[in-house]
Amino acid sequence: MRKAILLCLAILLFIIKNDASAQDLKTSVGTNKELDSLRKREEGEKDSVIFTAKFIKFTKMAMSRDSIVLLPLDTSTYNIQNYSPLLQPKHPSITTGSVGQVARPLLYEPSRRIGFDVGFHALDYYSLSPEDIIYYQARAPYTSLYLVSAGQKEQYFKATHSQNIKKNWNVGFNFNRMDARGFYSRQRGDNLNIAIFNWYQSPNKRYNMWASAIFNTLRAYENGSILADTIFNDNYVKIDRKAEATNLSTARNLYRKNTIFLKQTYYVGRIDSTGSANTSVLPTNKVTHTFEYNNDSYGFFKDEQDDNTVIPRALNKASRMTLNPNDANDLALDPTFTNDTTHIQHVKNEFIYSFFLRAKNSTVIKNELKLDAGLRHDYYNYASQGIRRNGNLYENSSFAFQNLTVVGALGYRFTSNIDLNLDVNQIFQGRNAGDFFYEAKSRIALSKAIGRIELGAYLQNQSPSEIFNRYNGNHFEWTNTNLKNTKVANLSFGYINDRLGLEAGAKYFLTSNYLYFGTGRTISGINDIDIKPLQETADISLIRLDVAKRWRFGKFLIENYLAYQKTDNNDVLRTPEFYTCNSFSFDLDLFKVLKTNIGFDVRYNTAYANYSYSPAIGQFFVGDATVLKSVPVVDVYLKANLKRANIFIKYDYANQGLLSKGYYTVNRYPMPDALLKFGVTWNFYD
């Protein structure tokens, strides 16, 4: 640890020294004739342009739904210490270990999906999707390099490059590589994301084409938790974390998610503009076509015998009707080797016509009517295999089907401060016919001093994910034909005041036919516990209150976030009542060139009965109801901005050993110990 600290400080001082020397050179040019002559000769008396972040603007798919909104790059150091997707202050998660491992939200965040869903989402935090791709308009080539290092425990590298090959045509790529080894044996997350993207806009700005090719490889090595469950007790003899015995030594989950995405829009008729710097054009008629091809696979591998503590015994065909009752070999499955695989191909085509009715030649948009009407076609090809007998794999389940969905939206903007929007998604034909998602939203901006109000409501009717309907593997098998659709009704209220730095909101959820995984039969013998899909017949109510506040006192900044949740069925829907994340920081300038921020974050949630985890199906489940101790977690950090570079040094779980030896967020899976991290982002604009 001492070597890591010295290395980080040496790098920081080297950067400061070089920048300070550059500053001295710039200030002395006017008085030093020799240096001035050399610079004049080098530049050849030609004008030069110093490119900065203001030459780069970006958009995303969510910002191009009606018109194309361009935003400037955010080059500040705000929240850069929380680079991990698992440590976002307002979206906390639970996990089986370090970053890269399986995770799920700590707070209740129901899925807003409808239609077919394969059901494997434990590694979604680390994958890239078309909605995540950032498209640029770059007047100069733009490159961003990002590195986070925590010795051998964690390495994260991210590279982005984008440039305009023509004034109206931008191309680029993303490369993300994460390798987290963790503190315990086989507590490793190994993720790779590669994306190539393209944005073309016709010279008259009527036609736009966004395209991307995305390749995700997500590996989560599984140790099945450690054997000892008292490592944080006072009387436990501490040994090296890597020496702790684990339940599994060869298991891993491997997800591959590959996507080809193409979206085209064409503006028909009159094009308006408000003159805003962020909004380029406002169409009156628009035609949109979206094509998406997904080729995904989800696999669990194991090549060892275990004591069935976390994975039940391999199934046998006698328990589920043999293919050949007279063949004795057909009864026995391999208790050692498992290679369960699920493969899904998905092709989506969506056509939408949009109509906007607004006053001509108006610099202020008011009384604007918007109508979207479209049709989406989804084709799916599903296959799974996992039974192993006599060295052979047998395909257990395969089918193909399609869905047709009506897509619609209606919006009315009374003024630039008041609007109302309705969205409709209804599957009317296909395997998931009857699924729907209806949503209504309204925004009322009162004034800058008073703030704005956001109202929302939605109704959702979702078919069960395929993993609840059927699964055929070496250790688990079920087929459910009587599961009902899950229904969610939501009401929400939000109040935002940017001047006061205040956000407050309330949400109510009423969930019917809630689906989850729980413990099934307990097989007589040693620790052989089965997991199976379960459906709650009673309605579940949950209310959630959120408050976020920023306080600024000179150079001191305090940020507080508090969430309160209350449900009437905490045995099934497990979530803490209170969660809070608080940040305290102080701004200062070092060496007159280094803008620095020093502070610490504190996260805490009240104790509750945690979820358990099953590696063989990659699912969290309602298991042991033991309430584990919950402790505050304090992270100390220093972050700085030096021209084009943002730097941070962070010490995770700095309070370990101070009334807290360790903690869990998932049953039997200890969280990482205190760890020093160093991160740097460097942007290049030429």
Side-chain angles (χ1 to χ4, degrees):
M1 183 180 297
R2 182 179 300 173
K3 293 182 179 179
I5 295 174
L6 292 175
L7 177 61
C8 295
L9 292 176
I11 295 174
L12 187 60
L13 290 174
F14 175 76
I15 295 173
I16 295 171
K17 179 180 178 181
N18 286 349
D19 191 80
S21 299
Q23 291 289 335
D24 293 340
L25 179 61
K26 291 178 181 179
T27 56
S28 63
V29 166
T31 57
N32 192 317
K33 294 182 179 180
E34 183 178 354
L35 289 176
D36 188 48
S37 177
L38 289 172
R39 171 169 292 182
K40 185 176 180 180
R41 184 184 308 169
E42 180 182 359
E43 295 180 353
E45 299 182 347
K46 294 182 179 180
D47 293 335
S48 61
V49 178
I50 300 176
F51 292 99
T52 62
K54 69 180 182 180
F55 289 87
I56 315 297
K57 295 186 182 299
F58 73 91
T59 189
K60 300 178 74 172
M61 286 297 93
M63 296 187 291
S64 64
R65 181 174 177 180
D66 294 335
S67 60
I68 300 174
V69 178
L70 291 172
L71 298 178
L73 288 177
D74 181 9
T75 58
S76 70
T77 61
Y78 181 73
N79 202 42
I80 64 170
Q81 75 277 13
N82 293 317
Y83 67 92
S84 169
L86 307 183
L87 294 179
Q88 297 308 302
K90 295 183 181 180
H91 299 280
S93 63
I94 62 173
T95 178
T96 58
S98 60
V99 64
Q101 296 286 291
V102 295
R104 64 167 289 159
L106 173 69
L107 305 177
Y108 183 54
E109 298 179 3
S111 161
R112 295 162 64 91
R113 295 181 296 269
I114 61 171
F116 181 82
D117 175 39
V118 68
F120 296 97
H121 298 291
L123 296 177
D124 281 359
Y125 282 93
Y126 317 109
S127 66
L128 275 179
S129 69
E131 291 74 22
D132 298 321
I133 299 298
I134 297 176
Y135 298 90
Y136 298 89
Q137 279 191 359
R139 291 174 57 185
Y142 166 65
T143 302
S144 178
L145 301 178
Y146 182 48
L147 172 67
V148 176
S149 177
Q152 296 182 350
K153 303 295 184 184
E154 185 177 327
Q155 299 285 336
Y156 181 39
F157 176 73
K158 179 179 179 181
T160 299
H161 177 76
S162 176
Q163 69 179 72
N164 279 29
I165 58 177
K166 288 187 176 181
K167 184 178 180 181
N168 57 327
W169 189 2
N170 180 271
V171 297
F173 71 87
N174 293 324
F175 178 88
N176 303 337
R177 182 74 167 88
M178 176 191 294
D179 188 3
R181 303 300 178 102
F183 283 83
Y184 301 87
S185 177
R186 293 190 66 79
Q187 195 183 59
R188 181 184 178 188
D190 183 6
N191 303 316
L192 174 65
N193 316 113
I194 298 175
I196 304 171
F197 55 85
N198 160 93
W199 177 17
Y200 173 80
Q201 185 177 62
S202 64
N204 61 5
K205 299 185 183 299
R206 287 187 177 274
Y207 174 75
N208 285 273
M209 179 187 69
W210 296 272
S212 61
I214 306 171
F215 308 94
N216 295 290
T217 301
L218 314 174
R219 291 184 180 88
Y221 292 79
E222 305 281 5
N223 62 17
S225 76
I226 63 174
L227 295 181
D229 58 358
T230 58
I231 62 171
F232 300 136
N233 292 357
D234 293 335
N235 57 352
Y236 185 79
V237 179
K238 183 177 179 179
I239 60 175
D240 185 86
R241 298 301 196 202
K242 290 291 184 181
E244 292 285 356
T246 61
N247 287 294
L248 301 173
S249 58
T250 64
R252 61 109 177 97
N253 272 291
L254 172 60
Y255 296 176
R256 299 185 188 274
K257 305 175 72 174
N258 303 319
T259 302
I260 303 296
F261 176 83
L262 174 66
K263 181 177 180 180
Q264 303 175 84
T265 63
Y266 186 77
Y267 300 155
V268 183
R270 189 180 84 249
I271 295 178
D272 299 328
S273 176
T274 61
S276 169
N278 292 335
T279 303
S280 54
V281 294
L282 296 174
T284 53
N285 294 269
K286 183 175 72 169
V287 180
T288 303
H289 169 244
T290 303
F291 169 83
E292 186 175 335
Y293 170 74
N294 296 282
N295 187 4
D296 303 339
S297 64
Y298 308 87
F300 172 74
F301 173 87
K302 177 182 74 73
D303 191 10
E304 63 182 305
Q305 290 194 6
D306 60 279
D307 64 0
N308 309 118
T309 300
V310 295
I311 299 178
R313 291 185 179 91
L315 297 169
N316 60 76
K317 293 301 290 184
S319 67
R320 51 181 180 180
M321 298 180 61
T322 65
L323 295 176
N324 183 3
N326 298 321
D327 186 357
N329 293 325
D330 196 38
L331 302 180
L333 301 187
D334 197 325
T336 301
F337 184 85
T338 299
N339 191 14
D340 297 345
T341 303
T342 299
H343 184 212
I344 179 73
Q345 292 177 302
H346 172 213
V347 180
K348 180 180 80 172
N349 277 284
E350 182 180 78
F351 298 88
I352 296 178
Y353 171 74
S354 303
F355 170 74
F356 302 84
L357 181 62
R358 67 175 74 90
K360 295 183 180 180
N361 303 322
S362 176
T363 58
V364 178
I365 298 179
K366 60 180 180 179
N367 296 324
E368 179 194 56
L369 177 67
K370 181 196 72 171
L371 176 65
D372 293 342
L375 184 68
R376 181 168 64 239
H377 175 264
D378 293 283
Y379 171 81
Y380 297 91
N381 191 346
Y382 173 94
S384 69
Q385 61 182 20
I387 308 295
R388 183 180 177 89
R389 298 193 304 279
N390 299 328
N392 297 316
L393 285 172
Y394 289 81
E395 188 148 309
N396 310 126
S397 178
S398 63
F399 54 86
F401 66 95
Q402 54 190 339
N403 287 328
L404 286 175
T405 306
V406 172
V407 179
L410 178 65
Y412 188 78
R413 188 181 300 187
F414 298 89
T415 68
S416 59
N417 295 329
I418 304 175
D419 59 33
L420 174 65
N421 293 281
L422 304 174
D423 289 287
V424 173
N425 286 266
Q426 172 81 57
I427 301 177
F428 67 92
Q429 185 175 353
R431 186 172 186 263
N432 302 114
D435 283 23
F436 62 78
F437 187 86
Y438 307 146
E439 185 174 25
K441 295 182 293 184
S442 180
R443 182 183 63 90
I444 305 171
L446 303 174
S447 69
K448 291 184 178 181
I450 300 177
R452 64 184 184 272
I453 295 173
E454 295 182 354
L455 305 174
Y458 72 78
L459 290 173
Q460 177 188 17
N461 182 29
Q462 180 187 12
S463 298
S465 297
E466 189 60 26
I467 195 170
F468 288 105
N469 287 327
R470 76 187 74 226
Y471 189 81
N472 293 290
N474 202 42
H475 299 274
F476 295 98
E477 185 212 31
W478 56 75
T479 300
N480 295 311
T481 59
N482 58 348
L483 296 178
K484 299 179 180 179
N485 282 15
T486 299
K487 298 178 175 64
V488 179
N490 166 263
L491 294 172
S492 63
F493 168 85
Y495 172 73
I496 300 97
N497 191 312
D498 296 325
R499 180 171 294 183
L500 297 178
L502 174 65
E503 295 182 19
K507 298 178 183 178
Y508 173 74
F509 298 93
L510 178 63
T511 305
S512 304
N513 304 322
Y514 178 71
L515 279 165
Y516 64 101
F517 285 94
T519 54
R521 58 192 176 92
T522 300
I523 306 173
S524 59
I526 54 168
N527 302 324
D528 207 345
I529 300 177
D530 198 14
I531 310 299
K532 68 176 183 178
L534 299 171
Q535 187 163 49
E536 180 65 22
T537 56
D539 293 345
I540 301 177
S541 295
L542 182 140
I543 187 170
R544 173 173 166 177
L545 306 176
D546 300 81
V547 178
K549 181 71 173 76
R550 289 168 57 94
W551 312 81
R552 171 69 73 173
F553 305 99
K555 294 187 176 182
F556 287 94
L557 177 64
I558 302 175
E559 296 179 279
N560 306 113
Y561 174 70
L562 174 66
Y564 169 77
Q565 294 187 136
K566 186 66 176 180
T567 176
D568 58 359
N569 194 343
N570 212 43
D571 293 334
V572 170
L573 187 60
R574 294 186 171 180
T575 181
E577 282 198 19
F578 284 97
Y579 163 80
T580 182
C581 182
N582 304 278
S583 180
F584 306 86
S585 60
F586 176 75
D587 297 329
L588 71 158
D589 294 336
L590 295 179
F591 308 101
K592 296 182 180 181
V593 296
L594 193 66
K595 297 185 180 298
T596 309
N597 181 270
I598 300 175
F600 62 94
D601 297 330
V602 183
R603 304 187 309 275
Y604 174 75
N605 61 266
T606 52
Y608 70 105
N610 301 63
Y611 282 95
S612 299
Y613 173 69
S614 175
I617 53 174
Q619 303 292 328
F620 293 89
F621 67 94
V622 175
D624 190 350
T626 302
V627 176
L628 301 176
K629 181 182 178 181
S630 182
V631 301
V633 177
V634 180
D635 300 333
V636 180
Y637 61 83
L638 180 150
K639 52 187 180 180
N641 172 261
L642 186 63
K643 292 200 167 191
R644 298 181 178 185
N646 291 331
I647 306 163
F648 76 85
I649 299 174
K650 182 181 181 184
Y651 194 57
D652 283 354
Y653 196 13
N655 60 314
Q656 186 177 27
L658 301 175
L659 304 178
S660 173
K661 292 190 174 183
Y663 67 104
Y664 301 84
T665 61
V666 176
N667 279 340
R668 300 295 298 274
Y669 286 88
M671 292 294 287
D673 292 336
L675 183 63
L676 180 69
K677 300 178 179 179
F678 170 77
V680 59
T681 302
W682 209 302
N683 296 321
F684 304 89
Y685 307 109
D686 47 31

